[in-house]
Amino acid sequence: MINIKKRIKQVVFISAMMTTLIYSMTRIILTLINYSNYTILEIIVSFLLLASELLVLIHAGGYIRHLLRSVQMRDLALTPARPLSHPMPTVAILVAARHEPKEVLEDTFRSIINLHYPAKNVYFLDDSSDERYKQEAEEICKKFEINLFRRQERHGAKAGIINDCLNKLTEKYVAIFDADQNPMPSFLTPLIPLLEANSELAFIQTPQFYHNINAVTNPVSFGAAYQQAVFYEYICESKGIDQAMFACGTNVVFRKEALLSVNGFDEAYITEDVATSIKLHMAGWKSTYYNHVGTFGMGPEALTEYFKQQARWSRGSFGLLRKIIKELFLHPLSLTTNQWIEYLLSGSYYLVGPAFLILMLCPILYIFFNIPSFFINPDIYITVFIPYFSLSLGVFYMTLKERNYKIGSLFIGQTLSNITFPIYIKSAFLGLLGIQGTFGITSKGKSTTMPYIYLWPQITMIILNFGALAWGIIRAIREDNFAIIINCIWVSYHFVIMCSIFYFNRRQREEQ
């Protein structure tokens, strides 16, 4: 029975992949055929539209590929290793922090010292420059009887202080947690035996989930949590199978020998965790993913903090994309084909921001100015688009619902990502210039609203989509044009998405 269900899933996923490919080829062919009839402006617009659609299609295909790979997870899942014998291998638990609230840190260290693993040493890597935070760090270390580590000279932000501490450690393994992460008592119990059983494993990554999620009281953290859920389910499972799972900066356990073999964390990138993972994989080390929630953290509770988090991640991603492409050309055999595919998909993910803006603008241009003048034949559109769209969307929601995620909650997460397009566009622009920016901490417990003057890109798109919808309805009544109806549907959808800015940008309400 299990094999039958598995086969059915594979057939559905392959069908979704095929319809995606068919729609992609149809769009490319029909766009090229009609280039001769276009003006220069229409050529530019149609090219940007095609490129944006293809990017979305590539990532849709990538997600379906992840689903196909994760179907194998039952056969390739990590099997429990033998219990550890005494003496148990030692683990250094590192928490790096700079100007973090004392109450957040106390919750974190309270959870860590209660881990059911006796051979552990806890280190608070305090990188604060403010005397008040320094004194609080000393009080925390005294209260929980843990080790305090400081450095003389700041460099490399989080990666730098971990590297400075790493060189002084004697423990075999290194577990890293963010300042707001609360591991469950059994977190280390299954991971260390797995590392002991496979000397080629550089690290094991585990999921990250937020505990401050409530669609009413914390809409931003709620949406962010469901974005995380999509990544930490099938995508990470697939990456684990392909030996392409990268470290996510927290809730991860490293083999110290592996880190030292590549000279520690890569300090050249603000997403030092992913950059270091690439170095480890290129050096021949392996990684895996353990899909069992063992830690809960705090998600950003306001758009200001969420945008700050997304800016850091996307800038780091674009910086790494340059590195990935460079390494692919210079050292194509240093990684497997599957590893290159996974790193390229991850590195290019945030290009969905510029792509989404183009996909929003094109229906508006068509309704107001009839640009581009060509529109795909209604029969062809229905034949190739509907199967692709229905199957892809159906597979996405069906597979996540299978793991107890609600469709409405997933939609909120997608919507939050869509309204972040200005952040991703800025990151893409800076990435092209080779500017990554500096490492920044996402503040915890902040819930202030964001002044709407700073949300002018989203507000502008609300106005443009509403105007296009009104004019499109007038045109649809007066003209017999299938394309107008289709584009009215799209501007309606985009209008609703952009209006969600008012849902997310509101003052946090106290939980009852």
Side-chain angles (χ1 to χ4, degrees):
M1 184 64 182
I2 293 176
N3 286 333
I4 293 175
K5 286 184 67 176
K6 184 175 177 179
R7 293 297 181 189
I8 291 173
K9 283 183 181 179
Q10 289 176 328
V11 169
V12 173
F13 299 158
I14 292 171
S15 299
M17 185 76 80
M18 291 303 296
T19 55
T20 301
L21 181 61
I22 290 169
Y23 179 68
S24 303
M25 295 305 298
T26 303
R27 283 288 291 115
I28 293 171
I29 292 170
L30 291 178
T31 300
L32 292 175
I33 287 175
N34 287 275
Y35 264 150
S36 59
N37 302 321
Y38 284 164
T39 64
I40 296 297
L41 179 59
E42 286 182 310
I43 290 175
I44 294 172
V45 172
S46 60
F47 173 78
L48 290 173
L49 175 59
L50 178 62
S52 299
E53 279 198 85
L54 288 178
L55 178 75
V56 173
L57 290 164
I58 287 169
H59 280 273
Y63 184 74
I64 297 169
R65 177 183 180 276
H66 289 138
L67 295 176
L68 278 166
R69 299 291 288 165
S70 68
V71 166
Q72 305 170 29
M73 200 65 181
R74 184 177 297 275
D75 300 327
L76 300 176
L78 292 170
T79 54
R82 293 180 180 178
L84 297 171
S85 57
H86 292 277
M88 302 172 76
T90 53
V91 180
I93 302 176
L94 310 185
V95 178
R98 175 177 169 82
H99 302 160
E100 293 284 359
K102 184 179 180 180
E103 60 273 14
V104 172
L105 289 167
E106 286 187 338
D107 285 344
T108 297
F109 286 113
R110 188 175 291 107
S111 300
I112 289 174
I113 63 172
N114 286 320
L115 288 172
H116 295 164
Y117 192 85
K120 64 180 185 293
N121 295 310
V122 184
Y123 297 82
F124 181 2
L125 280 53
D126 178 37
D127 213 18
S128 301
S129 57
D130 186 291
E131 287 301 323
R132 177 171 70 89
Y133 288 102
K134 285 184 176 182
Q135 184 174 346
E136 288 180 352
E138 293 168 5
E139 292 171 358
I140 290 171
C141 289
K142 184 177 180 180
K143 178 178 180 179
F144 294 103
E145 299 181 341
I146 58 179
N147 303 288
L148 177 62
F149 178 85
R150 290 196 176 113
R151 54 180 173 169
Q152 297 299 317
E153 183 181 346
R154 294 193 73 244
H155 60 90
K158 177 183 175 182
I161 193 170
I162 290 178
N163 285 340
D164 288 345
C165 181
L166 192 66
N167 293 322
K168 301 180 183 300
L169 296 178
T170 58
E171 291 83 0
K172 185 174 183 179
Y173 298 108
V174 178
I176 297 177
F177 296 99
D178 278 349
D180 63 326
Q181 298 294 312
N182 303 139
M184 297 172 68
S186 61
F187 178 84
L188 290 173
T189 305
L191 302 183
I192 304 304
L194 289 169
L195 284 161
E196 284 285 283
N198 187 349
S199 61
E200 295 182 331
L201 266 183
F203 64 87
I204 299 178
Q205 179 65 54
T206 69
Q208 179 178 185
F209 281 89
Y210 300 144
H211 63 75
N212 56 329
I213 55 172
N214 186 301
V216 176
T217 59
N218 293 315
V220 174
S221 60
F222 182 85
Y226 277 89
Q227 288 176 15
Q228 295 275 80
V230 172
F231 173 71
Y232 281 112
E233 289 292 351
Y234 296 101
I235 295 176
C236 283
E237 284 185 358
S238 173
K239 289 181 183 295
I241 292 173
D242 289 329
Q243 289 297 319
M245 185 64 218
F246 52 76
C248 299
T250 185
N251 313 341
V252 57
V253 182
F254 284 94
R255 187 183 303 274
K256 189 181 69 173
E257 176 192 354
L259 284 175
L260 292 176
S261 72
V262 295
N263 298 316
F265 280 91
D266 194 328
E267 298 180 25
Y269 298 89
I270 56 175
T271 47
E272 76 292 328
D273 39 18
V274 186
T276 305
S277 302
I278 295 173
K279 287 171 60 177
L280 287 166
H281 286 140
M282 293 184 71
W285 289 96
K286 296 181 178 180
S287 66
T288 195
Y289 178 65
Y290 189 75
N291 195 10
H292 296 271
V293 180
T295 313
F296 291 90
M298 290 180 64
E301 295 185 343
L303 281 180
T304 305
E305 299 309 316
Y306 173 76
F307 286 164
K308 182 179 178 181
Q309 177 199 72
Q310 295 298 300
R312 185 175 76 247
W313 291 356
S314 55
R315 288 187 192 183
S317 179
F318 285 123
L320 281 170
L321 182 58
R322 291 162 59 97
K323 173 184 172 67
I324 292 165
I325 294 172
K326 177 183 176 182
E327 295 292 347
L328 175 59
F329 280 101
L330 295 179
H331 308 103
L333 300 180
S334 60
L335 296 177
T336 66
T337 300
N338 285 333
Q339 286 176 321
W340 283 124
I341 290 173
E342 289 299 328
Y343 275 118
L344 285 168
L345 283 172
S346 297
S348 62
Y349 169 75
Y350 290 103
L351 284 171
V352 296
F356 183 66
L357 176 61
I358 293 168
L359 291 173
M360 277 198 294
L361 288 173
C362 284
I364 295 171
L365 287 173
Y366 187 85
I367 289 173
F368 280 127
F369 307 109
N370 229 42
I371 298 174
S373 55
F374 165 77
F375 193 84
I376 190 171
N377 180 282
D379 295 332
I380 298 176
Y381 186 85
I382 291 172
T383 302
V384 297
F385 178 78
I386 299 300
Y388 145 69
F389 186 76
S390 302
L391 265 176
S392 298
L393 208 61
V395 162
F396 174 76
Y397 285 119
M398 176 192 73
T399 50
L400 286 165
K401 187 177 180 182
E402 196 175 67
R403 297 198 176 181
N404 301 315
Y405 294 104
K406 295 180 180 179
I407 292 176
S409 301
L410 292 168
F411 181 74
I412 290 174
Q414 287 179 297
T415 302
L416 180 59
S417 178
N418 288 336
I419 65 170
T420 314
F421 74 91
I423 305 299
Y424 301 152
I425 291 171
K426 181 179 179 181
S427 295
F429 177 74
L430 293 174
L432 287 174
L433 298 177
I435 302 172
Q436 287 194 78
T438 56
F439 185 89
I441 301 296
T442 303
S443 301
K444 314 300 185 300
K446 299 290 184 69
S447 59
T448 56
T449 57
M450 191 172 185
Y452 280 100
I453 188 67
Y454 297 115
L455 299 172
W456 67 265
Q458 294 88 346
I459 302 296
T460 300
M461 293 312 303
I462 289 174
I463 295 169
L464 288 176
N465 277 297
F466 181 78
L469 177 60
W471 182 241
I473 291 172
I474 293 172
R475 285 192 63 185
I477 293 172
R478 298 174 59 183
E479 303 174 28
D480 183 17
N481 188 340
F482 174 76
I484 293 295
I485 298 173
I486 293 298
N487 282 283
C488 279
I489 293 172
W490 281 117
V491 296
S492 299
Y493 170 74
H494 295 146
F495 174 75
V496 171
I497 293 294
M498 289 298 104
C499 281
S500 70
I501 199 75
F502 302 110
Y503 167 72
F504 291 113
N505 192 42
R506 55 199 174 105
R507 192 174 300 278
Q508 178 183 338
R509 290 160 55 181
E510 295 293 331
E511 295 192 46
Q512 300 297 319

